[in-house]
């Protein structure tokens, strides 16, 4: 993640939470982040475990741990209670957890105005925008809960890789180490999967009928992070079944941790602001340009290798992709020219 957890007074939103590479003398989104992103930087973060312990991943992991501790999956319940009862109970919890998290960033940035560095100054979502986003965002929570039921049913009926209990893990050094490995590996696996899936849904036909819905938010706010077509949710959530469906000796928390990461991470990353603990200039440029920065800051080296990396808003010297000459760049924001818009939607 580009910012990590701030050492400022406000740990999450507001001045002092900007990433250290940001030049506060420049307009939001216009600092060149080339030197902050590279394969060597990502590798070093993995080897030093900074990607986990000095990033939002740590907070999200503790969210998953708290849920696993106080409201674990009712695996046996998939055999003893109705699917509707099981689903509605879990859905209520999932919805509350996700809504509080997303709502905190939406309220802090768009209602309380704690953030001061908005990428597009003066641009705020209308009531219609929010109804649209909340509808599709809610469908994401529905699908998340559905796949949780499916996985718990698989475990309950021994139709896939078996799971191990907390006691088994705590009483076995090898199982404990195996689960710790996967707890650490999930964010890395998520980034790799996200790049592949995201690049795939930018294929013209799939973009037009599926992913374009997400890109209606060219100036995103938190809830737009998981505002997707149902088919895109399917691609996006497919990540969660590896490793839990195929690898034995894992706690159900590995699956839960995967889904918490999938569901919670898009929130602050789509904030539209530069000053919060997960501010993501890299992905905001993707929403402004559509044809670049397909990965996350952690996997930016892939975009750098393929020439689809844009280092900032404004004119890019790094991007060498197909649409290099198809943009009109005005002021501090970037919009698709009509020529490129026609290409992407034809």
């Amino acid at each position: 993640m580009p910012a990590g957890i701030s050492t400022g007074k406000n740990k999450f939103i507001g001045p002092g939470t900007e990433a250290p590479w940001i030049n506060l003398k420049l307009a939001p989104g216009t600092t060149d982040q080339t030197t902050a992103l590279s394969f060597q930087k990502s590798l070093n973060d993995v080897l030093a475990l900074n990607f986990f312990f000095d990033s939002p991943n740590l907070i999200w992991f503790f969210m998953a741990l708290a849920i696993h501790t106080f409201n674990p999956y009712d695996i046996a319940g998939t055999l003893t209670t109705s699917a509707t009862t099981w689903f509605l109970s879990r859905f209520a919890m999932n919805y509350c957890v996700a809504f509080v998290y997303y709502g905190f960033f939406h309220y802090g940035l768009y209602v309380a105005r704690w953030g001061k560095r908005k990428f597009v100054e003066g641009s705020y979502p209308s009531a219609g925008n929010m109804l649209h986003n909340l509808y599709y965002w809610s469908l994401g929570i529905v699908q998340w809960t559905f796949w949780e039921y499916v996985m718990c049913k698989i475990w309950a009926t021994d139709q896939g890789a078996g799971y191990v209990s907390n006691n088994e893990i705590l009483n076995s050094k090898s199982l404990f180490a195996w689960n710790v490995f996967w707890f650490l590996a999930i964010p890395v696996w998520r980034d790799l999967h996200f790049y592949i899936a995201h690049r795939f849904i930018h294929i013209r036909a799939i973009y037009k009928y599926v992913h374009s819905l997400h890109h209606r938010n060219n100036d995103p706010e938190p809830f737009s992070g998981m505002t997707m077509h149902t088919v895109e949710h399917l691609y996006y959530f497919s990540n969660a079944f590896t490793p839990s469906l195929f690898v034995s000796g894992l706690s159900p928390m590995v699956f839960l941790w995967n889904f918490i990461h999938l569901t919670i991470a898009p929130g602050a990353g789509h904030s539209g602001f530069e000053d919060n603990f997960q501010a993501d200039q890299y992905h905001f440029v993707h929403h402004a340009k559509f044809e670049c920065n397909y990965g996350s800051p952690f996997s930016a080296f892939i975009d750098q290798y393929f020439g689809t990396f844009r280092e900032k808003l404004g004119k890019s010297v790094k991007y060498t992709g197909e649409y290099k000459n198809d943009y009109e760049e005005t002021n501090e924001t970037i919009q698709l020219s009509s020529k490129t818009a026609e290409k992407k939607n034809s």
Side-chain angles (χ1 to χ4, degrees), residues 331-346:
N331 301 323
E332 297 172 357
T333 63
I334 300 174
Q335 300 293 334
L336 273 174
S337 68
S338 59
K339 179 180 177 183
T340 302
E342 289 172 2
K343 285 184 180 180
K344 300 303 281 185
N345 292 294
S346 63

Side-chain angles (χ1 to χ4, degrees), residues 16 18 25 35 86 103 172 188 191 248 255 277 283:
E18 302 90 357
K25 296 180 181 179
T35 59
W86 194 102
S172 168
V188 178
D191 267 302
S248 61
F255 186 74
F277 92 131
H283 193 69

